[in-house]
Structures are given as structure tokens and as C-alpha cells.
Amino acid sequence: MNTVCVFLVVAVFFSKNQWLTYAESQIIGNAGMHSRPDVVNIGSILTLDSIVGKVAKIGLEAAVEDVNNDPTILSGIKLKLTVHDSNFSDFVSIMEALRFMETESVALIGPQSSVLAHMISHVVNKLQVPLLSFTATDPTLSSSQYPFFVRTTHSDAFQMAAVADIVEYYEWKQVVAIYTDDDHGRNGITSLADQLAAKRCKISHKAPIKPESTRAEIREVMLQVALMESRVIVVHTYVNWGLDILEVAQDLHMMDSGYVWITTNWLSTVIDTSSSANHPTKFFSNMQGVITLRSYTKDSQIKSKFAKKWESMTSLGMSTYPLYAYDTIWLLARALDNFFNQGGNISFSKDPELKDSCGGFFNLDSLSIFNEGKLLLKNILQVKMNGTTGPIEFTSDKNLIFPAFEVINVIGTGFRRVGYWSNSSRLSTTLPETIPNQTNSSGLLHSVIWPGQSVKKPLGWVFPHNGNQLRVGVPKQVSFKEFVEQIKETDMYRGYCIDVFTSAVNLLPYAVPYKFYSYGDGYHNPSLSDLVSLINAGVYDAVVGDTAITTNRTRMADFTQPFTESGLVVVAPVRRLNSETWSFLRPFSAKLWCVTVVFFLVVGAVVWILEHRINDEFRGPPRQQFITALWFSFSTLYFSHKQNMMSVLGRVILIMWLLVVLIISSSYIASLTSILTVQKLSSPIEGINSLQSSKDPIGYQQSSFVRNYLIEELGISETRLVPLNLPEDYEKALNYGPHNGGVAAVVDERPYVELFLSTRCQFSIVGPEFTKTGWGFAFPRDSQLAIDISTAILKLSENGELQRIHDKWLTRSACSSQGTKFAVDRLELKSFKGLFLICGVACLLALFIYLGLIIRQYTKHKPDLSEPSRPNLKSGGLKTFISFVDEKHDSARARFQKRIKERYKNDLSVKGSQNHKSKKRIDS
């Protein structure tokens, strides 16, 4: 409201003779309330001395003429367009907007500037007059803060998305943004930053140019840009300043090979409108190799008809601005036609708040509110039509559908279209309308001729030529000098890490001058974490050395691709395991031996139980039966058992047990063979887990990150940790052992350990590697040099140079124990637990089935206790059952059959006696 007040105050002084009284305006307002007026007033604010203003005015007037001559639209109502020239003055533009409000205009077209669109939108919001603009492309104008602002072109948000896709397509990571320091420039570049961030790219430097800057001020800004590392430059500004920027860039040799220039559509406007000028070379000489965007307009009969008419109206080339201006008038005409068809009336009324809001001091009664402004706005947003630019329709967020751009490469005195961009198909060489609803970019653009007449894609980044060398920090190590070592009495370095770095730098497509600076006192190993932190402090531009890539260090700097693998391992003393008297027992652990013997006995007993009643080979005196069962069980170890299985259950158990025996014996033979034929090493330390559970001291390399890792990550007490400086200190501490002032083991990175063990066979790595890292070179955050060095390291790895450097510095004559294997753990019970479990369950199941069958047979064949031949069974049923189980199956079956026969004879005798008595009774 305060903004509106200021505008109105200024307007009073600018046009005080034109203000009407409240009563007069009310009469005029009432008189204007009729359904179909003869004339509808609309206004436009343009900068007529600008290229855009000139062509836009022609397009607007041509559209008004065509609408008024078309009997199918507005039913005879004429549009009256009043164009005011702002003459590059923001003040005049605001005043002209307020003057239109006095003439009861139903819509305002313009202004050209996004800055003025922000200001005037506050006025039209209050007076409810739609503001249509085909030039104000600031993305923030689409917000709900400006409900009466309607953009009849595409927002810069889409244009910036196209620029970001181009940057991503050519694999550039950083750009420099040059823009006008106003709402149009700042908000557009903010949108570009968001689009780049989504693609993991960024704006490395922003170069704002003040509005109305002089050539000297532009040159000063461009000198700063020339010192930047990034060579990808995006220019988002207005036509006049854009041409000055390119001209200054040409003078500063910033249009030479290696640079990339991408501009928004202001440059395509220059190209289009100047294509038929008398001396076009003055425009094109400073644009060679530039990539620019141009709004894509679909070819149609409407567009062709307007293009022919354009040639008869002006000698200027036709850009996209007159097309959007022409369509804007037709859009408004169709909305007004629908507005009147719905019964809308053009009427205005007074709002007392306009007077009261400024304290009633100024006469503001001449300003009126468009009563039906909301209805007209609704009709504008609902229009669907085909115009010179293609289909016109608004989305729910008031943006035009189908945003698309042409990607243009400026060459000679013209241009070459290298592709298209649309919101649906992204980058493509195919017309956008031919691939609708495509979500993935085809990833194709035609070849581009870059600045300097180069056809090779620019790298997009160079080392800054400011006379300064790259300051490279190198640790002054006192141990393991094969990795990094300073040559005595010189400032030169050598070693594995140094050779990798210099080889990678030599592969870069640009020169990188550098100088090594030592870090450390030469008596103790320096802290590499402290060295990396000096990059943030600005002391060094890079760190080269045996620097492990850890989490804490990545928070301080960016690292290259690892040039060697690393990880923490445990080193401990080992002893050789030689063959001895009881070596044959070593393959199995004690538990496994015990369980195996028990299962031999159990299986023998189960088989004896299943076969005892039916198999004569498992019968006889108790001593003989025990020996038979024992012999059968252990003879299966060699598959030499001679007893035949008579029962089905016995055969099943035998087959399963033979499978168990086969697996166990094969494992035993393989393990024993390895023990007796391969030399083994043994250590009481089995790895990091055994170190954690013990209380023995642990050695580590002094100033290494290992100390913090063991304390913070593994929870090992600080009092157990012993710092060691030299490889000789490692050897001495390990030989002394934990009970004589030494250490039980040393924890260090694998490259150091492998070098240490190459000549010390009494030690070895025990247990697996328990971290996985790598060594890399450190650079400042978001350094392009880190990316290029990473690419060079990959090339070194692919061409074999990295391996040759490794062999040069780190390959040593291995001691005899290098081919020796570390002692393999004995075969434990857990390795065969499942096998024994299956066998045990099978035995139990067989016994249960057998018991059920015996009980069933017992109830059927049990002996008669009254038989005189079995006086010893009268003591109880249990003994009878045991005797039945021990009895041979054939004997029980024969006894049962004998009993059946005797019962049958008894039944016959009883029946005969009864028949004799009956006959005798009948005879009597």
C-alpha cells in the first residue's frame, strides 16, 4: 500500500491538470456502464528507441488493425491502442501507467522491463486492471503476489533450464554469470543457479553490471572475469549492455579459443532484427562462436501470413518479440469477446481507500477501479487459441504451455541452429513438437564452432594465468620414504606419490606451474590432517603425498580419484607350523573329534536295535553283539562293513551315515594334506577382533589418523596405544612383545605394511583388512583442477603407467615367507553341525518308528504268561516286553501261529462235545 501511495503522489505532480473530481468521474463511470461499448481502450508502455520497442510497436499496431477488421471477433467493437514511450525512464513509465488508469483502459500491455513490471503490478493489483507483458520474463513475477500480471511469453526459468542442460551436456561443472544488477538480472541468475545445482554444477563467480554502466565500468568487471578459472560464461542482460559486454570481451581477447559464451535470447533478437541491415558485420564480429537461445515458434500459415505482412511494414528483421506482441493483442481480443458474451460490462468505481491511504492530502479521485477486472482476468487465462507463436494456453500457474527454444551458434554473418530445447524433450536435434511427452534428453546437439574458430569442445576451465605458481604442500616424512622424500639440500622431491602427481599433471591439456613446499620438522612424521587443513587456511593450493581419504579430511578439502588402494591391517609376529608327531589330529578341533566318535557309537547302536530281531548277524551272546555293533560302526569309515541290512529303516540310516562319513573323511584328508605339504604360519593374534578383546598394547604410526580411528571407532583405550615413528621401531616393538615393553601388534595402512613386510619375514598380516580407503591428492573445495587430475589418474591407470610407477618404487625382493600361507583355522564343529543334525534326527525318527512297530507286534504276538514253559515272565509286563524285543522275530511269529492252531483245535473239540450232547438229548 505504501508503494502505491508513493506512485500516486508522484503522479499528482506529473499530471495535476488532468485529474477529475469525484463527482465528474462518477458520472462518467455510470455513463460507461453499458453492455457493448463502441470502443475499448487499451494501453501499452514501450521504449520506442530500443530494438524491442520498435518491433513490438509494429506488432501491436498490426494486431489491432487485424482485430478491428475481423468481423468474427468483438462484434463490431473497436480496440483503441494508446502507446506511450518511456524513453528509457523508469519514472516516465510509472507515470504513463497511472495516466492509463485515468482513461478507463481495461488492460495495460507492457512494460518492457521486469523491474517496472514489479512496480506497476502493485498499481494494477489495486485497480484490478490486467497487466499483460511479452517482455518481462523475471520468474518471480509469476508468484501469487501479482495476481493481475499475465506473462504472454515464456519465463526465464525455462530459459535457464535450457542453459543448465547445455552446461551439463558438455560436462562443464562451473560457469561465470554476467548479468545486469536489477530484478531482471538477479532473479534470472538465481534461477540459473538452482537449475545448475540440480545437475551438480554451480556458478563459480557472479559478475553484476550496474544499470546504465559506462564502457569503462563494464571493462573493469570483465577484467575480473578474465582472471577466473572458469571459461564458461553466461550473459543474461539487455540488448544494449549485451553488445557492449561482447565488444569489451573481444578487446580483452576473451573471445579466443578456450572460452565458451552462452547468452540468453537477447542476442538472438539482435541477430534477427539486424539480419537485413546494411552493415551487419559490425554486429557479428564480436559474436563469433557464441551459443544463444531463441524462443521457438512453430511454423504455421498464421506465422507465414504475418511474416509477409511484416516485410511490407518495416525493413527491420522479424524477431520473436513482434510475434508475441501480435498474439498478445489477439489473446486480449478473444478474452474481451468472451467477457462481453458472458454479460460483462466495462464500468469503473471509486475506492475511498485511495484517498484515505495517503491521508486525504492529495486529490486522487481521478483513479478508478475496474469493477469487472477479475472477470476479464479469468477470461484471459481461459483463452485457448493458435497464434503466430503456436498454441497459446495457460497452465494452472499462469505460464504458457510448451516452452521451447532454439539453440543457435553464431558463425560468420549469420547463425547455425545446432538443436532445440523444450520442457518435455530437453535437448534434441528434432523439432520439439515431434517428440511430445519425452522425459529424457536425447543427448544430441549438432557440432558447434567455438570462439577462436575451434571445432574441439573447450575444456571450460584453465589454470589462471596470473603469474602465481600452484603452492603444493608435501609432508616431510621420516619413515617409508619410498612414498615421499625430499632430496637433501634441495627443494625437490621424489617418490611414488610425487611421480604419480607429475605424470598426471603432464597429461593435462593446459600448463600448471607448481612448486613444492615441505611440511614437517624432519624428525617426526607430520600430521597429514593438519596439512590438509592448511588448504582451507589459504596456505597451500594442494597437498601431494601419502594422504588417505578419510571422512574428516573430506570435510576440509576435495580429493582426487584414489591413485592407490589402502586400508587398515594388523601386523603381528608369526611362527612356522612344522609337521609333528600328532599332526594327524590337527585337522579337526577337539569338539569335532568328540562328536564324530559319539556319532559312530550312536549309529552302531541304532543299527543294532533296528536289525537285532530280524538279522542273525546281529544276534548271539551279548559280548558278540557288542563287538558286532562296534565293528559295523567303525568299519563304515572305510566302507568295509560286511553285515547286510535286513530292515528298511536300517538301510536308510546306513545310507545317510555313509554320506556323513564320506564328507567328513574327505574334509579330513584335504585338511591333513594341506597341513603336511604347505608351510603355514601361526600367530596368537587373529585380527582386529582379538586385539579389541585383549588388553595388550598396540602400535601405530605416529601422527597417523589410525590413533583416532582406534579410539573413536573401535573403542580401544588410549593407554594401550603406542606411537611408533620408523619401520625399525615397528620391528623392535614387535620383537619385544607385549610383556617386555613392546606391542602385541601394529595397526597401519596396507601400503606401509606391505613395504615393511617385504624384508621382514618374521611378521605377517593377520586377519582381514577392516577398513577400505585410498590415497588421493587434496585440493580446495570445488576445484576444477581436482576433477582434471582425477581424469588424468584414470588415464594413467588405463595405459599402465600407474603400475609401472608402483613397480619402480614399491616392488622389493620378497623374503621366503611371502609365499607362505597363514595358518588356516581347524575344521570346527559348526562346519558340520547341519550334517550331524540331519543324521541325528534321522536316527531318532527311525527309533520312534521302530518302537511303534514293536509295540504293535507285541500287542499281537505277546507270549502267554500262563504257559508253564515261561514261569520267569510272571514277575511283570516290562520284563515280558523286553524279552519280546530280544526274541527273534521268527520265534515270536512261530509261537503266535502255534497258539492260533491250538485255539482252533480247542474250539473244534468244544463244538464237537456240544453237538454230541445235543444229539444225546434228542435221542432221549
Side-chain angles (χ1 to χ4, degrees), residues 377-393:
L377 175 64
K378 180 180 178 182
N379 279 279
I380 291 173
L381 297 176
Q382 291 178 345
V383 169
K384 295 181 180 180
M385 56 174 277
N386 287 319
T388 58
T389 58
I392 296 176
E393 182 180 345

Side-chain angles (χ1 to χ4, degrees), residues 171-226:
E171 299 178 341
W172 298 314
K173 296 299 181 182
Q174 300 181 13
V175 304
V176 173
I178 303 176
Y179 59 97
T180 306
D181 194 12
D182 59 11
D183 289 341
H184 170 73
R186 286 190 300 267
N187 294 334
I189 293 303
T190 299
S191 179
L192 174 62
D194 294 339
Q195 296 288 345
L196 289 173
K199 302 179 182 303
R200 303 187 69 179
C201 305
K202 72 168 192 173
I203 298 176
S204 61
H205 178 72
K206 294 182 179 180
I209 295 179
K210 295 185 298 182
E212 306 295 338
S213 292
T214 63
R215 180 65 65 88
E217 291 172 332
I218 293 176
R219 184 181 181 85
E220 184 178 348
V221 172
M222 296 300 293
L223 285 173
Q224 294 296 321
V225 173

Side-chain angles (χ1 to χ4, degrees), residues 474-479 518-531 546 553 701-705 725 752:
V474 181
K476 194 173 184 180
Q477 299 280 32
V478 297
S479 62
S518 62
Y519 178 78
D521 56 11
Y523 300 99
H524 302 88
N525 288 330
S527 171
L528 295 182
S529 296
D530 293 342
L531 175 57
D546 46 348
R553 292 172 183 173
Q701 186 177 165
Q702 189 179 36
S703 301
S704 170
F705 75 94
N725 203 27
Y752 300 130

Side-chain angles (χ1 to χ4, degrees), residues 19 236 473 647 668 728 848:
W19 298 111
H236 179 56
S647 67
Y668 173 83
E728 291 75 14
F848 278 120

